[in-house]
Amino acid sequence: MRDLPIQPQRPFGYFVHHQGRGHAERCAAIVNALPRSRPVTVFCADPKVLGPMPANVTVQAIPSLFERTGAERDMDQLQTPNTLHCAPVGWPGIRQAMGRIAGWFASDDPALMICDVSAEIAQLSRICSVPHVAVLQHGDRSDPGHRAAYDGAAGILAPFSAGLAQDDWAPFRHKMHFAAGLGVSGDLPDRQAARAALGLEPGRRMALVLSGGGGTGFTAAPLGVAARAFPDWQWISIGKLQGDWHATQGANLHHKGWVDDVATHVAAADLVISSTGNTTCAQVLGAGLPWIVVPEWRYFDEQLCKAQALAKAGAAQHLPHLPSSAHAWRAAVDRALTDHDAAAQGRLLAPDPAKATAAWLETLSEGLWGTTLTLETTG
């Protein structure tokens, strides 16, 4: 018996949705944890969201699958089948994007295609005889399109703890890998140093309102009500915010918009009120703070289902919307402070999710393709 040399590794493909930040952050964490011998080709409509990539990674820009360019010929009279979500007919950009991916399948013979996220590209991979890994997000994804992507997947990557799993995922739990905190650094600054960096008064409590980048953010008026209800607190909002002409804002409320030091703000806070995007949730869980979650609108009720899962796990208080009165704010904040369970939050974290995910992907690929050929010899 003799072992033939291992052939050059088949590449991994990776589709990265460019809405929000979580998809790109997960991609960066995974490709940096993969072996440098593993080639990776990343497809994204906005490569700027990806940041620097290691030398074994090639980035291919593709047209957006949902943004108009003016060249579309709308054919809205054609019904969209239940197996598809965003597949309008007559869009040249979609044809070009799918053509480039399918062409790469044919030319590079990939080992895996990681889809974060697109049920259509997941199904395209399966149709082209390429095993795919579907990234799973919360929400009501019981429709035929999502189920086809999950049923046809070689593996399903869930970038959060198994403690946040939905009951309806039971049919495919056997091929899921949970990666709590994937894409988010778990390191937070020292609390006192963070407070000093933000110029907070010693002993004064700070409430942080945090919304992500995938939508339009919270509206301003309820935050003015909150700040007036807690005049001895400092209130700070970061992320997107919708203005209200009727909003009144006191001196203890500061809207900062986008900031580069989110971790500093989280570390300095005494209470967090946030939406439930994946990156936001991982950051707050790492801080172990009293937490109120208010889901923003997302397709398939993604943030709503994530908020419900967090509440069920004892990690956060879920509110359907920001409180609309001072007494409602006082009740919500008092409950968040009283019911805070840092241990429950800690159980939803993992020590090195990127390394574990990279190992899972390599093991999955090896199980599908093998890495070494063993031949019988005579003489």
Side-chain angles (χ1 to χ4, degrees), residues 163-189:
L164 298 177
Q166 295 179 194
D167 293 340
D168 60 320
W169 296 343
F172 45 80
R173 277 289 294 264
H174 64 283
K175 55 182 174 182
M176 289 180 65
H177 172 76
F178 291 93
L182 180 63
V184 180
S185 171
D187 298 327
L188 289 174

Side-chain angles (χ1 to χ4, degrees), residues 19-35:
Q19 182 183 17
R21 299 186 177 187
H23 312 289
E25 289 167 343
R26 290 192 287 270
C27 174
I30 290 173
V31 299
N32 277 286
L34 286 169

Side-chain angles (χ1 to χ4, degrees), residues 219-225 228 241-250 253 255:
T219 186
L223 304 184
V225 177
R228 292 197 303 276
L241 194 69
Q242 302 176 52
D244 293 303
W245 66 269
H246 52 83
T248 53
Q249 178 175 327
L253 173 59
H255 300 307

